[in-house]
Amino acid sequence: MRKSFILALLPLLLCSCNAISSLIHDDDVVARVGRTKLYKSEVERFIPNMIPAEDSLRLAEQYINTWAMDLLYLDVAETQLSKAELDVTADLEDFRRSLLKYRYEQRYINDRLDTLITDGQISQYYTAHADEFELKRPVLKVRFVDVMKDSPNKDAILKMMSSQEYDDIQRADTLAKSTALRWFDSADTWMDAGELAKSFGLDWESMLSHLKGDMIRYEPEDRTDLMAAYVVEIQRKGTAPLEFVSDRIRDILMSARKHDLMNSLERDLLENALESKKFVIYENE
């Protein structure tokens, strides 16, 4: 009787399973690898809203191909690798240990790290390690503009951006922002010559070859715009200005604090484990 009851119940169970599967994946199949199917809803979740149709199609194709490639790699690996190679238990355990160690280290550091670094500490490190901050390229403070050669405001902008008067500089800023192609004012912040040269589309040495007095002016013959930078200040060699390297020093000091915390953690873990006999080293006689 029991066997007959189970046989009678089996079609109902199969119908229920099919119904559940239908509820989970009640949409179109867009791809299949072996018995594994990829559904339209899964692809749609990957594609951002409000993007052009051609971009949606490209992203969908990319997602489908990546999904298929992962499964194809898995299939061939499971077929071709030996039993020993297929056993990833040890690798997973190593990864788990590394991940948990990393997460605890991050919590330990976040709970204890003093993130306050004063100007005095930065200045002290700068003075003690001046040889680490020798300039590889010049640094400059500038005002830069890229403006059409036939712009009626070109001469006014070039004149006012090099003025020492605050009102002139403000007018240059307003005029350049409304009529120039590009404009930025870095008169109070040091820039690496290499970074400034990118704005001119030149290497830094070529850029500085166009420096006449306190103005870098570059007018490519095959273009309808001109680029200019008024040089407020330039330092070509020697120890970099403190303001230019202060962020770098801040990172160095922060990294050193993190390193010290990690050394302290490892030392305390070992000492406490040895003292509590949780960690025992056996000596061979």
Side-chain angles (χ1 to χ4, degrees), residues 4 7 9 11 24 26 87 93-94 130 206 223 230-231 254:
S4 299
L7 289 173
L9 187 61
I24 294 174
D26 189 17
D87 186 0
E93 180 59 24
D94 287 343
S206 297
R223 290 173 52 165
Y230 168 64
V231 179
M254 196 64 68

Side-chain angles (χ1 to χ4, degrees), residues 123-138:
S123 179
Q124 184 179 7
Y125 186 93
Y126 174 79
T127 302
H129 302 84
D131 57 325
E132 297 179 11
F133 304 111
E134 287 293 312
L135 286 173
K136 297 180 180 179
R137 290 178 297 274

Side-chain angles (χ1 to χ4, degrees), residues 39-252:
Y39 292 87
K40 181 180 178 182
S41 60
E42 298 176 73
V43 180
E44 289 176 338
R45 285 197 294 269
F46 172 75
I47 301 174
N49 295 325
M50 306 300 290
I51 65 172
E54 58 271 20
D55 292 337
S56 296
L57 180 60
R58 178 179 54 81
L59 288 174
E61 290 176 348
Q62 178 183 337
Y63 182 87
I64 292 169
N65 289 336
T66 301
W67 172 86
M69 189 59 66
D70 287 344
L71 290 173
L72 291 170
Y73 262 112
L74 178 62
D75 180 64
V76 72
E78 291 178 337
T79 303
Q80 300 296 324
L81 294 179
S82 67
K83 184 177 180 180
E85 290 171 324
L86 288 171
D87 186 0
V88 296
T89 305
D91 294 328
L92 290 175
E93 180 59 24
D94 287 343
F95 176 73
R96 174 181 173 276
R97 289 182 182 181
S98 297
L99 182 60
L100 292 178
K101 178 184 176 183
Y102 172 79
R103 287 181 176 178
Y104 179 71
E105 287 174 348
Q106 296 307 301
R107 173 182 287 189
Y108 184 90
I109 289 173
N110 290 337
D111 289 346
R112 293 164 177 79
L113 182 64
D114 180 7
T115 58
L116 177 62
I117 295 177
T118 66
D119 292 341
Q121 290 168 328
I122 293 174
S123 179
Q124 184 179 7
Y125 186 93
Y126 174 79
T127 302
H129 302 84
D131 57 325
E132 297 179 11
F133 304 111
E134 287 293 312
L135 286 173
K136 297 180 180 179
R137 290 178 297 274
V139 291
L140 310 91
K141 293 181 178 181
V142 301
R143 297 187 188 99
F144 172 87
V145 70
D146 180 359
V147 63
M148 298 299 291
K149 293 176 183 177
D150 60 359
S151 170
N153 299 308
K154 178 191 67 176
D155 293 335
I157 293 173
L158 291 175
K159 180 179 179 180
M160 290 187 293
M161 68 186 282
S162 59
S163 173
Q164 304 302 315
E165 298 297 326
Y166 177 78
D167 289 343
D168 287 341
I169 297 170
Q170 287 296 101
R171 283 196 290 270
D173 181 84
T174 301
L175 196 57
K177 284 180 178 178
S178 61
T179 63
L181 301 175
R182 288 179 292 155
W183 159 266
F184 64 80
D185 187 346
S186 184
D188 297 321
T189 307
W190 289 104
M191 287 187 68
D192 183 283
E195 283 299 309
L196 179 60
K198 292 178 183 178
S199 297
F200 286 89
L202 300 169
D203 62 79
W204 70 266
E205 291 172 314
S206 297
M207 177 192 71
L208 289 181
S209 70
H210 293 277
L211 175 61
K212 307 299 180 187
D214 53 14
M215 185 72 77
I216 303 171
R217 182 164 174 157
Y218 177 52
E219 301 184 46
E221 294 182 0
D222 59 344
R223 290 173 52 165
T224 56
D225 61 329
L226 73 85
M227 288 153 279
Y230 168 64
V231 179
V232 178
E233 193 172 351
I234 182 171
Q235 182 176 329
R236 294 180 179 269
K237 58 183 179 179
T239 304
L242 174 58
E243 311 95 274
F244 183 69
V245 295
S246 60
D247 287 342
R248 178 180 162 193
I249 293 174
R250 192 181 306 276
D251 290 340
I252 292 172

